[in-house]
Amino acid sequence: MNFEQRTRGRAMTIEGMNHFTVISSDLEKTKAFYLEVLSLREGYRPPMESTGAWLYAKDQKHSILHIMAERPMPESAPGVIDHMAFTATDLQSTINTLKQHGIAYKLNRMKELGIWQLFCHDPDGAKVELDFSADEPEPQE
């Protein structure tokens, strides 16, 4: 039986990405990275037994990043996800902010895709990709 035959009649379809979850060894340090460096905002998080935070982009109504604290860091990677990527604006300001916080980054220009890709890591090592329009001026590094 091929894929088409196996999936015929199924109603479920993926409509978009909901959120990523990162585990934090220091909730305040991790929140500071995502709030102060990446300009996400903290918002509503329902009451839970665990400590953490839900972060939102601009005026979006659903959280895009969940931070979980008070959970031991895994000894080895629990899956195969390499990084999380966000669409961003103001490449120069982002680079300036990363430098101010002493955060290393790697910048690639992907002309064929029409983007600048900037990679950095959060305080616990989660890889973050920020994608900027290729129309943004070349930054002064």
Side-chain angles (χ1 to χ4, degrees), residues 63-74:
S63 59
I64 63 169
L65 183 68
H66 295 178
I67 302 171
M68 294 179 66
E70 298 178 355
R71 177 184 271 197
M73 296 300 283

Side-chain angles (χ1 to χ4, degrees), residues 37 92-105 139-141:
V37 177
Q92 185 65 62
S93 176
T94 301
I95 287 174
N96 295 345
T97 300
L98 291 171
K99 286 181 177 182
Q100 288 171 357
H101 286 83
I103 298 170
Y105 64 90
Q140 304 298 310
E141 291 191 67

